[in-house]
C-alpha cells in the first residue's frame, strides 16, 4: 500500500497536470510541447527518486513518505507552469 500511495498518486497528479498544461498552451505554441518534453524526463525521474527514498527509509510511516513524495511530485508541475507563464509573458 505504501508504494501505491506514494508512487501512484504523484504519478497521476503529474500526468493530469501535464495534460492540462499541454492543452492550455494551444494555438500552435511550443509551450505545450515543452511541457510534454519536461514530463518525459520528469515523471520517470520522480518515480525513481521516490522509490529510492521509500526503500532507503523503510521504518517511516506511510504519511511521512506520502508527504515527501507529494512535495517532490509538485516540482514538475511547477516547472511546467513556470514555462507556460514565461511564454505567455513573452507574448505580451
Amino acid at each position: 500500500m505504501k508504494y501505491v500511495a506514494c508512487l501512484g498518486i504523484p504519478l497521476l497528479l503529474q500526468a493530469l497536470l501535464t495534460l492540462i498544461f499541454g492543452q492550455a498552451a494551444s494555438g500552435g505554441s511550443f509551450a505545450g510541447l515543452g511541457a510534454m518534453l519536461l514530463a518525459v524526463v520528469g515523471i520517470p525521474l520522480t518515480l525513481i527518486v521516490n522509490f529510492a527514498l521509500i526503500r532507503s527509509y523503510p521504518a517511516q510511516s506511510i504519511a511521512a513518505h506520502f508527504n515527501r513524495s507529494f512535495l517532490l511530485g509538485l516540482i514538475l508541475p511547477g516547472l511546467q507552469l513556470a514555462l507556460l507563464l514565461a511564454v505567455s509573458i513573452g507574448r505580451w
Side-chain angles (χ1 to χ4, degrees):
M1 187 67 185
K2 185 186 296 188
Y3 291 102
V4 172
C6 297
L7 297 177
I9 293 174
L11 171 72
L12 290 176
L13 172 78
Q14 287 178 338
L16 179 68
L17 288 176
T18 298
L19 179 68
I20 291 170
F21 291 148
Q23 296 297 319
S26 62
S29 173
F30 283 105
L33 177 65
M36 293 293 177
L37 289 176
L38 278 173
V40 166
V41 175
I43 291 174
L45 186 63
T46 304
L47 285 173
I48 291 169
V49 169
N50 284 339
F51 182 76
L53 287 172
I54 291 169
R55 295 282 291 186
S56 64
Y57 300 107
Q60 284 187 344
S61 67
I62 293 176
H65 283 299
F66 179 75
N67 290 338
R68 184 176 44 220
S69 297
F70 189 77
L71 289 176
L72 282 173
L74 290 177
I75 293 173
L76 176 67
L79 290 174
Q80 291 171 335
L81 182 63
L83 175 69
L84 290 176
L85 288 175
V87 168
S88 66
I89 290 172
R91 284 188 203 162
W92 254 6

